[in-house]
Amino acid sequence: MAAVDGPAGNLRKRKSNTTLNGTPGKASNGSNGSNDAGANDASNGQSWITEHGREVDRKLDEHHEYEFGGPIGAGAMMVGFPLLMYYLWACLWYYDGKLVHPTSIDDIKPFLHRMGQHIYDGAFPTAFAFKTYLGLTAVQLVFAATLPGLKQHGLPVPSLNYKPLLYHCNALASWYTTLIVAFGLHVTGIFRLPWIVEHVGELMSVAFITSFTVTFLIDFLARTFHYGGKPLRMSGNWIYDDFMGVSLNPRLGPVDLKMFAEVRVPWVLLFLISLSGAVKQYEDLGRLTYNMFHMVLATGLYINACAKAEQFIPQTWDMFHEKFGWMLIFWNMAGVPFSYCYPVVYMVRANPSTYEFPIWGSAAMLVTILTAYWIFDEAMAQKSIFKIKQHEEFTPRGSFPTFPNSDIKNPTFIQTKHGNKLLTSGWWKYARKINYTADWTMAFTWGLSAGLNTPITMFYPIFFLAVLTHRCERDFAKCARKYGDDWVKYCQVVKYKFIPGVY
């Protein structure tokens, strides 16, 4: 694990029983720009966790209750999601998106046989699929370990005595290098881009096998050798703990595997699937529909946002708190690339007349996704920079695009007894999860790009809405336990959860 020095490395050396104004346990409200907002400027690098905050963190690192329906819910998802994805893929690939089902009780067995035959015919994990998926993963690992990038400390980790880990953030270099390599392989004929979408079922099966294998391997290593840190928040139920994860920070050399899984494979592969669909459509039709272009634009914007802002990811809840189990591994390695791509799969197989928009519809889609992206990107940058400045200097990266208000000058916030600050300015004065609102709006345009001919292409926005709603309540419950009365005060200042003035 990388050594930590500099301002963040000195965090654990500072006194932890006072807040920024020197008063033990006192929480100040800087949400209106007065009070202690000036004295507690987030850019002064003088933030630490109080003794009260440490006691709360110790309790949060213990198992208290089951989430996601407990062992039964976790087990059902581990079995059900791969089966659901096979079914939805088969409906798109063989039935033009129609949700097929047994026509009678007597048809149940023949129906299951037909589904099994479709999976065997179109999703059998071939040698080509193994080489492609594992090859891409291996290349991304090499890029993550070797390409130049910046070093960024994460948040102080309670289970490591508030030691902030160091992350090598080179996703932007990896992303651009991947584009160059993909272009070179395509034009030379070594690996043509349309092959990806043409073999998407096979690749999905390999992703399933890989994600389950990685999950069980890391689970074993974490339990046996404390790989990635000592086991945290263990329930004692193997299925549930395998689902949630055992350890927090598994690494392979300089590569943090959790951050790697969140950025490198899922969004890169999803973009390549979209690009593959676009190239195939152009070769088949001699033109590219706006709808397919929209998916290339949307997935390109998203992976570019993840890559250029990778230094902000160590400040997120996933990196700071979530363990690395099946939930994160499967969904990032298989769920994201092979379920969010349903509009592309549908458009590759369907006649454009079934989903193409008039010019005004295409213009509306374009304006909507660009506006939502602007809010999403700027809001995420605002909170991440605010968090970074609480414990070290922030160095602007200057990557494209960088919006002018990404770094809030003189931010207002609520100082908590825990020691952290809750941001109440910028986009975050309008809603507590304003980033979720913008993120879901982008997702809605993804689903809409394939028209409304089948509900399968709307899977991403429907599923994502359920995920965000659940996660929102889950996060708020944890924040209420962590911050107590300060969270109540924060909710009084930032009244709305998702939609300003509505909800």
Side-chain angles (χ1 to χ4, degrees):
M1 207 165 280
V4 180
D5 52 14
N10 292 325
L11 274 168
R12 59 188 180 276
K13 300 177 183 177
R14 297 172 182 157
K15 296 180 180 180
S16 59
N17 60 351
T18 58
T19 57
L20 294 181
N21 58 11
T23 306
K26 181 179 179 181
S28 60
N29 184 349
S31 61
N32 59 3
S34 58
N35 277 346
D36 301 309
N40 293 340
D41 186 349
S43 64
N44 64 13
Q46 300 295 313
S47 176
W48 53 80
I49 308 300
T50 65
E51 286 299 333
H52 169 76
R54 289 170 182 259
E55 179 60 31
V56 171
D57 288 339
R58 281 192 286 270
K59 293 179 180 178
L60 288 175
D61 270 343
E62 299 171 355
H63 173 75
H64 294 285
E65 60 186 6
Y66 284 122
E67 300 178 275
F68 301 100
I72 295 177
M77 283 187 274
M78 294 174 77
V79 174
F81 268 119
L83 293 178
L84 175 63
M85 290 173 64
Y86 271 134
Y87 169 72
L88 296 178
W89 162 81
C91 289
L92 286 172
W93 202 254
Y94 294 103
Y95 300 98
D96 296 324
K98 180 182 178 182
L99 295 174
V100 294
H101 55 80
T103 56
S104 65
I105 294 178
D106 292 337
D107 188 43
I108 293 177
K109 187 175 180 180
F111 170 79
L112 294 176
H113 181 268
R114 291 193 297 272
M115 289 293 106
Q117 190 63 46
H118 290 327
I119 293 171
Y120 180 79
D121 291 339
F124 187 84
T126 60
F128 170 84
F130 272 106
K131 291 176 183 177
T132 301
Y133 184 86
L134 296 180
L136 174 65
T137 303
V139 167
Q140 294 301 312
L141 270 172
V142 171
F143 286 172
T146 60
L147 291 179
L150 58 84
K151 304 292 184 181
Q152 177 62 57
H153 294 102
L155 295 175
V157 182
S159 60
L160 297 178
N161 195 27
Y162 294 93
K163 174 184 177 181
L165 298 177
L166 189 64
Y167 295 84
H168 181 57
C169 302
N170 65 355
L172 194 62
S174 176
W175 161 233
Y176 290 148
T177 304
T178 299
L179 290 178
I180 294 171
V181 171
F183 176 78
L185 292 175
H186 174 73
V187 297
T188 58
I190 297 174
F191 189 101
R192 301 192 68 256
L193 284 169
W195 293 349
I196 299 175
V197 75
E198 290 170 354
H199 296 271
V200 69
E202 303 162 28
L203 292 167
M204 179 175 65
S205 292
V206 173
F208 290 168
I209 295 170
T210 303
S211 59
F212 273 90
T213 302
V214 170
T215 297
F216 296 146
L217 180 60
I218 289 183
D219 182 290
F220 171 77
L221 293 175
R223 292 174 190 266
T224 307
F225 304 106
H226 290 185
Y227 176 57
K230 65 181 181 180
L232 289 176
R233 303 187 291 277
M234 301 294 283
S235 71
N237 182 279
W238 185 88
I239 293 176
Y240 181 79
D241 291 333
D242 188 65
F243 176 86
M244 297 297 293
V246 176
S247 62
L248 190 63
N249 304 110
R251 294 192 167 197
L252 188 61
V255 180
D256 184 277
L257 293 181
K258 189 161 58 172
M259 191 160 78
F260 174 84
E262 291 215 357
V263 179
R264 305 309 176 97
V265 175
W267 301 109
V268 169
L269 182 52
L270 181 60
F271 171 79
L272 291 176
I273 292 173
S274 299
L275 184 61
S276 172
V279 175
K280 180 172 176 57
Q281 185 183 74
Y282 184 81
E283 290 182 351
D284 290 346
L285 303 179
R287 68 186 182 93
L288 182 66
T289 63
Y290 171 79
N291 304 65
M292 187 68 84
F293 166 77
H294 187 89
M295 281 301 296
V296 176
L297 172 66
T299 54
L301 283 173
Y302 212 94
I303 175 56
N304 189 75
C306 292
K308 77 183 183 68
E310 188 186 23
Q311 75 270 29
F312 298 152
I313 295 177
Q315 320 297 322
T316 63
W317 180 262
D318 280 357
M319 299 303 301
F320 171 72
H321 184 80
E322 296 285 17
K323 297 180 291 181
F324 196 48
W326 185 91
M327 180 177 69
L328 290 184
I329 295 170
F330 176 85
W331 202 249
N332 282 305
M333 301 295 287
V336 167
F338 295 105
S339 66
Y340 295 1
C341 71
Y342 289 153
V344 174
V345 176
Y346 175 80
M347 287 188 283
V348 164
R349 307 285 287 184
N351 190 307
S353 63
T354 65
Y355 59 80
E356 272 195 288
F357 298 137
I359 294 178
W360 66 264
S362 299
M365 288 276 285
L366 181 62
V367 171
T368 299
I369 195 169
L370 292 180
T371 302
Y373 175 80
W374 161 52
I375 296 172
F376 170 78
D377 189 294
E378 193 168 79
M380 292 298 292
Q382 287 175 349
K383 177 166 280 191
S384 297
I385 293 172
F386 177 76
K387 287 181 178 180
I388 290 173
K389 284 184 173 181
Q390 290 185 43
H391 58 84
E392 65 178 305
E393 292 296 321
F394 169 71
T395 302
R397 194 171 188 177
S399 51
F400 178 82
T402 299
F403 296 103
N405 294 321
S406 295
D407 187 358
I408 304 173
K409 308 303 179 185
N410 301 315
T412 59
F413 55 86
I414 291 176
Q415 175 68 58
T416 70
K417 292 185 288 292
H418 179 279
N420 293 339
K421 305 180 184 73
L422 303 176
L423 182 63
T424 58
S425 56
W427 287 107
W428 300 93
K429 66 185 175 183
Y430 299 113
R432 284 169 252 159
K433 292 291 185 181
I434 191 69
N435 58 321
Y436 284 5
T437 307
D439 204 353
W440 184 84
T441 302
M442 289 190 291
F444 180 71
T445 72
W446 292 28
L448 200 59
S449 66
L452 298 174
N453 301 290
T454 169
I456 299 176
T457 54
M458 294 297 290
F459 173 85
Y460 175 34
I462 294 172
F463 172 76
F464 198 36
L465 181 61
V467 168
L468 293 181
T469 302
H470 174 265
R471 177 154 188 173
C472 181
E473 296 306 322
R474 186 170 170 240
D475 289 355
F476 290 166
K478 282 185 169 63
C479 287
R481 291 198 299 269
K482 185 173 184 176
Y483 299 120
D485 292 342
D486 294 323
W487 181 252
V488 175
K489 186 186 300 181
Y490 170 73
C491 292
Q492 292 171 346
V493 174
V494 184
K495 297 180 175 62
Y496 299 101
K497 297 179 180 180
F498 287 113
I499 307 173
V502 179
Y503 175 73

